[in-house]
Amino acid sequence: MKHSYLALFIAASLTPNFYAHAAQSAANTDSIERIEVAGQTIKSQGLSVKDATINGPFGDNLALQDIARSVTPISSELIEQLNITTLQDVLAVSPNTYSASGFGAPSLPTIRGQLGELFQDGTRRQAGNNGFGVPLSFNSVEQIDVVKGAPPVLFGSSQRNGGFVNLHSKTASTDESKGKVKLSAGRWDQYSAQVDYTAPIIKDKVGLRVSYEHLDEGSYYDYSGTKSDSLFASLRILPDDKSSWDINFELYQVEFTDNAGINRPTQALIDDGLYITGQGVQANGSTVPAAGSIVSPTGQVKIDRSTVLTDPDNQNEATTYLIHSIYKRELSANASLKNITYFQHLQREEIAQNSFVEIIDGADTAQNRTELTYRWNSDQQTIFAFDVRYNKVLGYSQFTTEADLPIDLTGPLSNRRIPLTDAQKARLVELSPGVFVSPGGQYDLDNDGSGDFNLSDTTDSRSWQTGLAIQQDSDWGDKLHTSVGYRVDFYDVEANDPIAPQGQVAASDSINETLHSGQVSFNYKLNSDYTTYGAASYNEATSNSMAGGTSLGGDNTISAQNFATENTLVEFGLKYTPTDSDWYADGAVFSQRRSLRNRDGSNTGIRTTGFESQVFYDAYPYWLSAGYSYIDARYDNSASSQDSAQVIDAFDNSRPDIIAGTGVGAPSFTAFAPSNRQVQGIPEQSFSFNGNYSINSKWQMGFSGLYTKSYPLDFLATVKIRDQYTLNVNTSYAFTPSTKLRLDVNNVTNQKNWRPVFEGGYFGATLAFPELPINAKLTLTHNF
């Protein structure tokens, strides 16, 4: 490419001499020699991050090199190329985004070893309880921005701080009509259909877009599947040449499976697929799974990886609808206004045969943020933000009687089921006939000084969050840019017990807290191709339960610990964004200190340091990308806990030829003393790569791969997931410019890979998730 521009430069330099020579020749002959010099244009296919525009987190209309953070923007073209259908798929292109399975339905991203936040159009969506929640539909999504580190001050105090994903909604067209139909069919009876159409209602003034997606998917895993419907509509209004208004609506309904993977993750299971048989027995002789059960091994068998902890009689469904409004107006040559309004309603019901219950009987979230941007001069700009967020959650929960390790998966379904005893029911409250949940507070019925109930996440809570933010962006000459931001959030929170035991006064409490966050960053252009940056941030965040609600503790108060999650980030990086090349590359070193919410509501400090890098090349007929990450994640002299200390605690020592069990019994909740041990469930190194080659204008072939270094599955590192890789291939053929057929074959080498089930390593000694074997999907796309 540089040679082409050099040729143009030489030709231009020689032009006067050339014309002088031509005139002299014309005097001697009647013929004139004609010379043409042509340059090659950059043939971007829209698959590189280099030319992306980032809106929202740090301001609007920012180029990638102008943002002092590690960012991976994923365009709609890249979403299609990488076949991204879940949040886990972003790890194919964005470094340091390796995640647990989220019980088979991840609702939150994992970034730099911790759960991150999920935003859409700049507002935080309702999501899961520590990653386990409602699956995400990409039917409404046009672009995905993956940002490392805590949300910036414009987005405000939140809950999770490893990083965040900001989804950009599809927008309607006001000048042309176009549509797309996409049909797919895959192994295990996985079918989906999508119709997406946009058209102007009033030319150049009002446009409408409607997108509908239906999924009816079977599963490789036993008793699993997904059925969902997503209806998205977007209205774009352009009142004049100085303003725009986008109003989006999505209705999403889904039935899905809570998939806990395979229990008893010994090293033999991970390495060779060998499973230890034998149902756990309680001290009273019962074989119903319960805390303290002990397994006397009866043998060791090769288990089918599709045999997982699911049950055909489980109920699990959710319905949600969202409304987004984004209004922008240029007030003057120096001032502009942006107003974002968001509302979401969620209902969810899961009643599982293993006694797990989570019912969200209504969660409503409303948020409005107004941003005023004022440019004092060509070098100084200030953004002021006023933000109000309201969250109301009524939900019921029960997870205190679950017991996974005692279950023999190779036996009958009755092995997995946990009918509650009268004693267990007495420590719960009956929500509806046969459905028992924890109360939302603790009560001492017999006046012995101890509470008589099991607590989980049951709550009827309301919270108001009011935030004020300011961000100052400054240019100090042509090379140096700085940004400084500060925000304060005022929380007013109330929590009540919605289902107090009969005869008891419902417990309740309220709390008021003030949280602060700040950030500072710089960008320095070394030259036209290279930009170096540095960023530091401090963020105070919250710890919440399901749907962002707040539950009472064992003392019937809202713990101040819920508002004591302190997070820090220091990051330095280099970005290569040449204007005359098809390459893009960046690299970053970082140190983050953040808190991880434990199951009991406490916070555990984790410190991570590392390096990450990504490279893109995009010029027809080639497209390539690669990403590498190294992360050292350790407990920051903090305590941790697990469902059981180690998997061998579930077994006695009656069969030392199979396993040397300790006979402690399991599950047996274990709290580990403060330490600086490596955090379990996170690969220290990972490498991803993707590519595509256009054989001709109709036929393309592509590939992708992911390699992860060996890492411990449990806190004590008694079991490890070995080095593993996944290779995928794809090919597509365009029968016409509008119609294309694509074939994806995933895990072509049929690797028997594993990953953790749950973020934070709580089930590291209890469960492991078997990834899918080789599978294929055929997709037909027609544009009209």
Side-chain angles (χ1 to χ4, degrees):
M1 180 60 65
K2 291 182 178 179
H3 293 153
S4 300
Y5 283 99
L6 180 61
L8 283 172
F9 176 76
I10 294 173
S13 301
L14 295 178
T15 295
N17 294 330
F18 164 70
Y19 281 120
H21 176 72
Q24 183 178 357
S25 299
N28 298 324
T29 67
D30 294 332
S31 62
I32 298 177
E33 181 181 7
R34 185 174 181 180
I35 299 176
E36 293 183 0
V37 179
Q40 181 183 358
T41 59
I42 298 176
K43 300 177 180 178
S44 172
Q45 303 169 86
L47 299 177
S48 175
V49 301
K50 184 171 103 171
D51 300 318
T53 298
I54 314 299
N55 291 304
F58 308 96
D60 286 343
N61 303 314
L62 296 179
L64 195 57
Q65 66 268 28
D66 296 330
I67 298 176
R69 284 285 191 91
S70 177
V71 183
T72 306
I74 306 174
S75 65
S76 58
E77 293 84 3
L78 195 51
I79 291 172
E80 181 177 349
Q81 174 61 38
L82 295 174
N83 192 29
I84 293 176
T85 58
T86 72
L87 282 173
Q88 283 184 335
D89 295 333
V90 301
L91 63 89
V93 68
S94 182
N96 260 327
T97 55
Y98 184 79
S99 63
S101 73
F103 289 95
S107 63
L108 291 168
T110 300
I111 300 173
R112 290 181 176 170
Q114 191 202 5
L115 283 173
E117 287 289 10
L118 179 64
F119 291 83
Q120 185 161 6
D121 298 324
T123 55
R124 179 161 49 104
R125 283 183 53 141
Q126 288 176 354
N129 183 4
N130 283 359
F132 174 56
V134 180
L136 176 69
S137 169
F138 282 87
N139 179 47
S140 65
V141 176
E142 190 82 70
Q143 178 173 313
I144 305 170
D145 294 338
V146 184
V147 185
K148 315 298 171 58
V153 295
L154 292 180
F155 279 11
S157 174
S158 58
Q159 180 178 356
R160 306 167 184 92
N161 294 276
F164 62 94
V165 168
N166 188 29
L167 308 174
H168 295 273
S169 298
K170 295 174 178 177
T171 57
S173 173
T174 60
D175 57 5
E176 64 174 334
S177 300
K178 57 184 177 180
K180 180 174 71 174
V181 176
K182 184 162 68 173
L183 305 172
S184 70
R187 193 178 179 188
W188 309 301
D189 296 321
Q190 296 190 340
Y191 304 103
S192 67
Q194 184 188 60
V195 180
D196 187 350
Y197 183 73
T198 183
I201 298 176
I202 302 175
K203 183 72 171 179
D204 298 326
K205 288 290 185 181
V206 181
L208 177 66
R209 184 169 185 172
V210 177
S211 184
Y212 171 74
E213 180 186 63
H214 174 72
L215 270 65
D216 188 350
E217 297 183 342
S219 177
Y220 163 73
Y221 306 105
D222 292 346
Y223 314 119
S224 297
T226 301
K227 290 185 179 180
S228 70
D229 292 279
S230 170
L231 176 63
F232 172 79
S234 175
L235 182 68
R236 163 159 278 201
I237 303 172
L238 303 177
D240 50 48
D241 60 354
K242 297 182 181 297
S243 59
S244 66
W245 190 14
D246 291 288
I247 306 170
N248 307 321
F249 171 81
E250 182 181 9
L251 173 63
Y252 180 60
Q253 192 279 329
V254 61
E255 299 176 20
F256 62 104
T257 303
D258 174 357
N259 186 343
I262 298 177
N263 62 343
R264 304 180 182 178
T266 63
Q267 198 64 58
L269 176 68
I270 300 299
D271 293 347
D272 303 311
L274 296 176
Y275 184 85
I276 301 174
T277 60
Q279 183 76 352
V281 180
Q282 299 183 41
N284 62 7
S286 172
T287 58
V288 173
S293 296
I294 299 175
V295 180
S296 297
T298 57
Q300 195 171 35
V301 300
K302 193 90 169 179
I303 191 170
D304 192 315
R305 291 166 60 87
S306 65
T307 304
V308 291
L309 278 169
T310 54
D311 193 297
D313 291 340
N314 287 352
Q315 303 174 42
N316 197 10
E317 60 183 3
T319 300
T320 186
Y321 61 84
L322 304 89
I323 300 172
H324 279 93
S325 167
I326 305 100
Y327 177 77
K328 298 179 181 180
R329 181 165 182 82
E330 182 183 333
L331 302 176
S332 68
N334 296 328
S336 62
L337 177 76
K338 179 167 71 171
N339 181 272
I340 303 173
T341 302
Y342 153 76
F343 176 80
Q344 181 175 2
H345 174 79
L346 170 67
Q347 288 185 287
R348 176 170 183 241
E349 180 175 275
E350 178 176 6
I351 301 174
Q353 298 301 307
N354 68 345
S355 75
F356 177 82
V357 176
E358 182 169 291
I359 297 173
I360 299 175
D361 204 16
D364 295 306
T365 303
Q367 182 173 354
N368 182 274
R369 183 170 71 248
T370 299
E371 298 175 13
L372 175 65
T373 302
Y374 190 83
R375 180 167 287 279
W376 304 94
N377 53 49
S378 60
D379 298 327
Q380 301 293 327
Q381 172 182 284
T382 305
I383 303 175
F384 304 92
F386 176 70
D387 204 344
V388 178
R389 182 180 175 92
Y390 172 75
N391 192 61
K392 179 182 182 300
V393 178
L394 174 60
Y396 307 92
S397 175
Q398 147 58 7
F399 50 65
T400 61
T401 56
E402 288 180 81
D404 295 325
L405 275 174
I407 296 170
D408 183 352
L409 273 178
T410 64
L413 282 174
S414 59
N415 280 5
R416 314 177 186 188
R417 296 177 172 174
I418 304 178
L420 299 177
T421 65
D422 290 339
Q424 289 172 323
K425 292 177 182 179
R427 297 187 62 83
L428 302 169
V429 179
E430 191 169 20
L431 177 65
S432 60
V435 178
F436 289 83
V437 298
S438 298
Q442 187 58 271
Y443 305 90
D444 182 10
L445 301 183
D446 55 12
N447 298 313
D448 66 350
S450 299
D452 296 321
F453 292 88
N454 296 345
L455 298 185
S456 50
D457 284 336
T458 295
T459 187
D460 180 4
S461 63
R462 299 165 186 81
S463 68
W464 284 96
Q465 175 186 350
T466 305
L468 297 170
I470 184 171
Q471 178 177 305
Q472 177 67 34
D473 300 317
S474 305
D475 291 319
W476 309 99
D478 296 332
K479 292 183 177 294
L480 179 63
H481 173 85
T482 62
S483 180
V484 179
Y486 168 76
R487 174 161 174 154
V488 58
D489 281 282
F490 304 96
Y491 278 86
D492 183 2
V493 183
E494 175 188 337
N496 304 278
D497 180 3
I499 189 167
Q502 187 173 4
Q504 299 297 308
V505 177
S508 64
D509 191 29
S510 62
I511 193 170
N512 293 281
E513 293 285 345
T514 302
L515 276 65
H516 303 269
S517 59
Q519 65 190 40
V520 59
S521 66
F522 74 87
N523 300 70
Y524 185 79
K525 290 187 177 181
L526 301 175
N527 53 45
S528 60
D529 292 345
Y530 291 94
T531 302
T532 185
Y533 72 87
S537 74
Y538 171 80
N539 174 279
E540 294 177 344
T542 64
S543 293
N544 307 114
S545 58
M546 57 182 174
T550 301
S551 56
L552 297 172
D555 58 355
N556 289 341
T557 65
I558 300 172
S559 173
Q561 186 78 2
N562 289 348
F563 304 87
T565 306
E566 297 183 342
N567 308 273
T568 60
L569 164 70
V570 177
E571 180 179 322
F572 293 96
L574 179 68
K575 297 184 179 183
Y576 174 62
T577 54
T579 57
D580 59 348
S581 172
D582 305 299
W583 289 94
Y584 170 83
D586 65 33
V589 293
F590 62 88
S591 176
Q592 288 186 208
R593 200 276 182 188
R594 56 193 185 276
S595 293
L596 177 73
R597 180 180 181 269
N598 299 319
R599 192 170 179 179
D600 62 1
S602 64
N603 295 315
T604 293
I606 294 176
R607 183 176 295 279
T608 61
T609 56
F611 168 78
E612 59 203 20
S613 179
Q614 56 187 354
V615 178
F616 286 83
Y617 176 80
D618 180 21
Y620 183 86
Y622 299 101
W623 171 73
L624 298 168
S625 79
Y628 170 79
S629 61
Y630 166 80
I631 185 169
D632 181 23
R634 297 186 175 276
Y635 291 101
D636 190 19
N637 195 30
S638 291
S640 183
S641 60
Q642 276 185 175
D643 184 53
S644 294
Q646 51 188 340
V647 68
I648 60 175
D649 290 347
F651 305 96
D652 61 25
N653 200 28
S654 61
R655 290 291 304 273
D657 57 315
I658 296 177
I659 190 168
T662 63
V664 170
S668 52
F669 175 83
T670 304
F672 299 104
S675 73
N676 298 104
R677 293 182 68 99
Q678 180 182 358
V679 177
Q680 64 272 39
I682 304 171
E684 193 175 54
Q685 298 184 65
S686 64
F687 174 69
S688 63
F689 56 91
N690 306 276
N692 181 73
Y693 173 67
S694 297
I695 299 173
N696 53 45
S697 60
K698 295 184 176 182
W699 188 14
Q700 298 180 348
M701 299 190 70
F703 60 87
S704 65
L706 174 68
Y707 163 82
T708 54
K709 188 71 176 173
S710 173
Y711 60 94
L713 186 59
D714 62 318
F715 179 85
L716 296 175
T718 62
V719 176
K720 291 188 176 183
I721 293 180
R722 309 294 191 186
D723 292 18
Q724 57 187 25
Y725 67 90
T726 304
L727 297 176
N728 310 313
V729 297
N730 66 80
T731 184
S732 63
Y733 187 81
F735 296 98
T736 71
S738 301
T739 305
K740 181 173 67 175
L741 185 66
R742 169 169 167 149
L743 174 66
D744 286 272
V745 182
N746 302 312
N747 193 9
V748 292
T749 57
N750 204 29
Q751 299 299 297
K752 293 177 172 57
N753 294 332
W754 300 85
R755 72 171 63 210
V757 166
F758 194 62
E759 303 293 343
Y762 184 81
F763 292 105
T766 306
L767 304 167
F769 194 84
E771 296 190 21
L772 292 173
I774 183 172
N775 61 93
K777 182 172 74 171
L778 199 62
T779 303
L780 177 67
T781 304
H782 177 69
N783 296 287
F784 59 93

